[in-house]
Amino acid sequence: MLAETGRTQQRIRDLPSRVVVYLLLAGSLFPGIGWRQVWQRLTAGLEGLETAAPTAGALAQARR
């Protein structure tokens, strides 16, 4: 449906915008820990799959 409107993400990134939304939602579930730890918890169940390993700076930039 988004493709029909032409409002899809233009660039392929390690952290696509939809993944950043998941990160932000997960951050609200774990308010007392840092974003790297939130990322680790978010991806913990994906063992065996290839996932990005963003730096703290990359996570900060993605949130902006």
Side-chain angles (χ1 to χ4, degrees):
M1 180 163 248
L2 281 176
E4 293 172 6
T5 65
R7 300 293 181 206
T8 58
Q9 183 170 306
Q10 299 297 317
R11 290 180 23 187
I12 303 299
R13 302 170 187 242
D14 284 342
L15 295 176
S17 54
R18 69 180 182 281
V19 175
V20 176
V21 171
Y22 302 148
L23 174 67
L24 293 173
L25 291 172
S28 68
L29 295 174
F30 305 107
I33 63 175
W35 288 104
R36 291 275 310 194
Q37 292 174 328
V38 171
W39 179 257
Q40 290 171 351
R41 290 184 183 199
L42 185 62
T43 59
L46 301 175
E47 289 182 29
L49 298 175
E50 185 178 338
T51 59
T55 63
L59 293 173
Q61 184 178 359
R63 290 191 324 269
R64 277 187 232 129

